[in-house]
Amino acid sequence: MVPIFREILIPILAVFTALILGAVLIEISGVSFIEAYRGLFEGMFGSRRALIETCVAATPYLLTGLAVAIGFQGGLFNIGAEGQFYMGALASVIVGYTVQGLPAWLHLPLALVVGAISGAVWGSIPGLLKARLGAHEVINTIMMNYIALKLVDYLVKNVFRDPAASMDRTPYILPTAQLPRMFGPDYRLHAGFLLALAAVVFTHWLLFKTTLGFEIRTVGANPGAARYAGMNVAGNIVLAMAMAGAMAGLAGVGEVLGLNHTLPAAFSAGYGFDAIAVALLAKSNPMGIIPSAFLWGGLRNGAGLMQVRTGISIDLISVIQALVIMFIAANQIVRWIYRIN
Amino acid sequence: MGKKLIKLIGLGLILLLVQGISQVNAANITKVGLVTDVGKINDGTFNESAYKGMMRAVQEFGLKSAFIETRQPTDYEKNIEQLISEGYEMIITVGFLVGDATKKMAQKYPNVKFAIVDFAYDPPVPNILGLIFAEDQAGFLAGSLAGLMTKSKIVGAVLGMEIPPVVRFRKGYEAGVKYVCPDCKVLAVYIDSFTDPARGKSAALSQIDEGADVIFGGGGTTGSGAILGAAQAGVWVIGVDQDEYMTTFKKGEAPGAKKLLSSAMKRVDNAVYGAVKAAVDGSFKGGTALFNAGNDGIGLAPFHEAETAIPDTVKAKLKEIADGLKAGKIKTGV
């Protein structure tokens, strides 16, 4: 078989099998699965609006998926994308509404860069702890998530709250910091989508076409050999985590500058956690993140119409997603079902 | 002078006529959709209550209906728009937190009718009917019941997010306790989620450890978790929003059901039903509708299994307080 086809065969079959099992569950709950899936797929890409909304939902998954994939490539399990996402969002919203009087060509890049740096700093802390002290990054990224979530929650509710709002949220960012909408004000797709696609291509180039990327991957594959080859293992770990953090941070930035124009408290997006699934489905390949993020974003987006049409619980989508990941993780099952060796 | 007067009367008549015509032409709805706050339509409290109210109207008037359960606050607008793009002509949104999103969508789609639970707009939006409740009066009744039933003179309250309707519940509850039992102590805690039964339960149990022997749970499934846990720990509990004996305690099948004294009901169902009915018969108008003790918009649920355990003197006192609130003789001070 053609190698690329082999690579993507298992993920495709995993998705297919999960959808079949999902169909059985839908039938058991007393709803026609054809109706439900028609709603789901029409909600994903059945109309101009649906397709655009799927791109909107895929945008943060592209970036947080990259954040986890970069970690995997560097031999690091970055569970901290959620926290890095929040820190990026927080920094960009602060720059977005407090810095006044700048022209858009300066204000927007400033908010983007500050947000990305904020995520990078947050990501590099567990990287540094791992490189210097050998502290496991899984533990520390999870802990950094809690700190970020509660910190952002506190700050939004007490320090940066917009007193005029019905829910706890910051004031809206200034128009000069907004990422432009690509199809006019009626559609929510913003330039952050292009930025995310560019980030995917950039990451692919960096990891597979540069010396730096080679070093990061070597450190990930075999730190001993990397050290023996004269590579800076500690430095590469910190760098990989910082890059991952920057990507997750940018995801949060995009949601703020492009989509919501504000940061609400108790805004449990879950993009950072779902990102682990997105990266797994993509087998940590940056290019693979694109279809993977579109699938996740599409399912999340299509779930709404599925519920409108059939009244079925939106949680079903989470079940299907979980099944996909189980089949990826235990790909022996898929190989056995479809007789692939 | 006379001519002017005739002109004025004429103008007035024309205005009346135009208004009359526009009312006749007011498009009566056939499809109504509901967007929940973060939570589910079977949450046993306010999302469910609103859904039931909508469904009563849907069945009565033969409407088509749909709902979307919101998963995160940034999806409110998207969910509302999803229903509108499917041709839904009236949208019910549930909860104070959806206030901003509802207003934004109402302005974007001026021909769609909206009703929102727990939010009032000032100035009003012409196509949104805000359904608000005197939570302080409902809380006052719950507090009175708690204050009359406590032996330890310590009562607890586990509440959801600190937003105006929940704050009114708390203040009313505290005032109600003090009204019947001035030396009683009230332990109250806000939890920043409406969907976290485990945290609700642990908060209730720690209040019991502090000596509380009546717990009021007010805040989505967080509050339901609190009263379920507390009832199973053997103290009296009071529910919220709708009769939680029927929902949280599964008509008595859930353990602890005999410890449920009552629920501080907000008739969200009646309010939503009324809003949909108005949209069907063409009398829908934007603005605010207040539901309180005076129009039976709030009140205590039946005592169910606690009926015999509640002394007649307590029942008499509660009736007296309810009548006092109704007549405006008792003020909650909120």
Side-chain angles (χ1 to χ4, degrees):
Chain A
M1 261 188 286
V2 193
I4 178 98
F5 182 67
R6 268 186 89 88
E7 281 294 307
I8 61 172
L9 185 61
I10 298 284
I12 287 173
L13 288 176
V15 171
F16 179 70
T17 317
L19 284 174
I20 289 180
L21 275 177
V24 173
L25 288 175
I26 293 169
E27 284 290 326
I28 291 173
S29 67
V31 174
S32 149
F33 81 90
I34 298 175
E35 277 286 299
Y37 277 174
R38 185 183 292 159
L40 178 64
F41 292 127
E42 273 183 35
M44 279 168 88
F45 43 69
S47 66
R48 187 181 156 88
R49 179 175 297 278
L51 193 61
I52 287 177
E53 279 293 329
T54 292
C55 295
V56 171
T59 303
Y61 285 130
L62 285 168
L63 287 160
T64 53
L66 275 184
V68 178
I70 293 171
F72 278 137
Q73 294 282 359
L76 300 157
F77 199 169
N78 176 20
I79 304 185
E82 185 82 0
Q84 294 145 16
F85 174 97
Y86 273 92
M87 295 314 284
L90 177 70
S92 70
V93 81
I94 294 172
V95 174
Y97 88 86
T98 60
V99 179
Q100 306 211 343
L102 288 185
W105 61 265
L106 202 61
H107 196 187
L108 175 59
L110 183 73
L112 284 170
V113 169
V114 171
I117 291 176
S118 167
V121 168
W122 206 255
S124 62
I125 294 171
L128 211 62
L129 290 173
K130 164 115 180 174
R132 291 273 168 237
L133 307 169
H136 205 293
E137 79 281 1
V138 167
I139 311 285
N140 285 320
T141 48
I142 294 175
M143 295 307 132
M144 295 291 281
N145 280 344
Y146 285 121
I147 299 171
L149 258 62
K150 293 298 166 191
L151 182 68
V152 170
D153 201 49
Y154 172 80
L155 289 176
V156 170
K157 278 181 183 163
N158 297 287
V159 182
F160 302 117
R161 193 184 191 287
D162 181 352
S166 73
M167 58 197 258
D168 291 326
R169 62 161 173 79
T170 67
Y172 286 110
I173 59 166
L174 302 174
T176 46
Q178 291 177 5
L179 281 162
R181 298 262 155 123
M182 289 162 64
F183 297 99
D186 266 3
Y187 294 96
R188 302 199 306 163
L189 190 64
H190 52 90
F193 175 64
L194 298 178
L195 201 69
L197 288 177
V200 170
V201 175
F202 170 78
T203 306
H204 185 266
W205 170 79
L206 187 95
L207 282 174
F208 295 104
K209 307 283 179 205
T210 68
T211 320
L212 181 65
F214 179 71
E215 287 198 12
I216 288 176
R217 284 185 297 124
T218 311
V219 169
N222 189 339
R227 190 174 293 115
Y228 187 71
M231 293 175 187
N232 177 356
V233 174
N236 275 307
I237 288 177
V238 177
L239 195 67
M241 282 304 294
M243 268 180 59
M247 293 300 172
L250 267 181
V253 171
E255 294 299 281
V256 167
L257 302 185
L259 201 55
N260 303 319
H261 300 156
T262 173
L263 180 63
F267 156 59
S268 161
Y271 288 118
F273 297 119
D274 286 356
I276 300 167
V278 171
L280 280 172
L281 182 60
K283 294 181 151 184
S284 306
N285 180 316
M287 286 304 182
I289 297 283
I290 295 177
S292 177
F294 268 91
L295 178 68
W296 242 245
L299 287 173
R300 186 179 185 131
N301 175 37
L305 190 60
M306 183 182 77
Q307 183 158 55
V308 169
R309 294 272 178 83
T310 62
I312 203 165
S313 169
I314 255 173
D315 291 339
L316 183 91
I317 295 301
S318 307
V319 173
I320 291 177
Q321 289 177 334
L323 287 169
V324 170
I325 293 309
M326 278 173 60
F327 287 131
I328 294 287
N331 60 40
Q332 294 301 334
I333 302 175
V334 176
R335 287 176 195 280
W336 177 75
I337 294 174
Y338 298 99
R339 304 282 187 272
I340 311 166
N341 48 22
Chain B
M1 181 70 199
K3 256 186 177 174
K4 250 186 181 169
L5 198 67
I6 289 168
K7 262 188 185 166
L8 257 168
I9 293 172
L11 198 69
L13 278 175
I14 290 170
L15 273 174
L16 275 176
L17 202 67
V18 168
Q19 209 178 10
I21 289 169
S22 71
Q23 259 172 12
V24 170
N25 281 352
N28 299 352
I29 61 155
T30 56
K31 288 173 89 175
V32 54
L34 177 138
V35 175
T36 69
D37 197 343
V38 174
K40 310 229 147 242
I41 53 147
N42 58 355
D43 64 354
T45 62
F46 76 142
N47 284 318
E48 177 164 343
S49 199
Y51 180 71
K52 280 183 175 160
M54 178 181 84
M55 290 316 285
R56 202 162 86 216
V58 162
Q59 270 145 23
E60 192 168 319
F61 306 116
L63 308 176
K64 193 167 168 358
S65 75
F67 62 91
I68 300 185
E69 293 169 337
T70 304
R71 291 212 288 187
Q72 55 162 307
T74 46
D75 285 345
Y76 292 143
E77 286 174 29
K78 175 178 169 276
N79 290 347
I80 293 170
E81 205 152 33
Q82 179 94 69
L83 284 167
I84 293 172
S85 71
E86 284 284 292
Y88 287 84
E89 303 142 311
M90 180 179 197
I91 309 291
I92 315 289
T93 57
V94 189
F96 182 82
L97 297 176
V98 203
D100 284 350
T102 304
K103 183 176 176 184
K104 206 167 155 192
M105 286 295 120
Q107 284 166 341
K108 188 168 173 187
Y109 298 99
N111 294 324
V112 176
K113 298 177 175 69
F114 289 84
I116 178 167
V117 176
D118 278 353
F119 204 96
Y121 295 92
D122 183 29
V125 184
N127 54 334
I128 309 180
L129 178 60
L131 309 169
I132 62 166
F133 298 82
E135 285 90 1
D136 52 319
Q137 293 184 336
F140 194 89
L141 285 167
S144 306
L145 177 56
L148 293 166
M149 292 301 290
T150 179
K151 299 268 187 293
S152 65
K153 294 200 176 272
I154 302 174
V155 300
V158 177
L159 303 145
M161 290 165 81
E162 193 176 350
I163 57 174
V166 179
V167 173
R168 286 198 291 273
F169 259 126
R170 175 186 181 156
K171 290 193 171 152
Y173 180 74
E174 287 170 343
V177 174
K178 298 287 179 198
Y179 183 79
V180 296
C181 174
D183 56 339
C184 274
K185 198 173 142 194
V186 182
L187 309 171
V189 60
Y190 292 114
I191 291 177
D192 58 359
S193 164
F194 287 114
T195 51
D196 198 338
R199 275 172 70 200
K201 182 180 172 181
S202 76
L205 294 182
S206 62
Q207 289 179 346
I208 295 170
D209 287 342
E210 295 285 310
D213 62 352
V214 184
I215 304 283
F216 170 55
T221 54
T222 309
S224 305
I227 59 170
L228 204 54
Q232 286 162 11
V235 306
W236 292 117
V237 298
I238 302 170
V240 83
D241 286 352
Q242 55 180 331
D243 185 352
E244 290 203 56
Y245 185 82
M246 312 306 279
T247 57
T248 306
F249 289 91
K250 303 192 179 95
K251 298 182 182 165
E253 280 170 31
K258 62 178 192 302
K259 300 303 285 184
L260 180 72
L261 288 169
S262 179
S263 302
M265 288 207 294
K266 268 165 77 170
R267 297 308 302 261
V268 174
D269 52 342
N270 288 352
V272 170
Y273 169 83
V276 179
K277 184 170 185 277
V280 170
D281 67 24
S283 64
F284 179 91
K285 256 179 72 188
T288 304
L290 173 68
F291 298 85
N292 58 19
N295 57 17
D296 289 322
I298 64 101
L300 283 180
F303 303 124
H304 297 291
E305 292 175 39
E307 183 79 51
T308 50
I310 300 173
D312 286 339
T313 51
V314 170
K315 288 177 189 159
K317 183 77 183 164
L318 280 174
K319 177 148 190 339
E320 184 193 315
I321 292 170
D323 290 343
L325 287 169
K326 221 174 248 191
K329 271 185 257 162
I330 298 177
K331 299 267 185 260
T332 62
V334 178

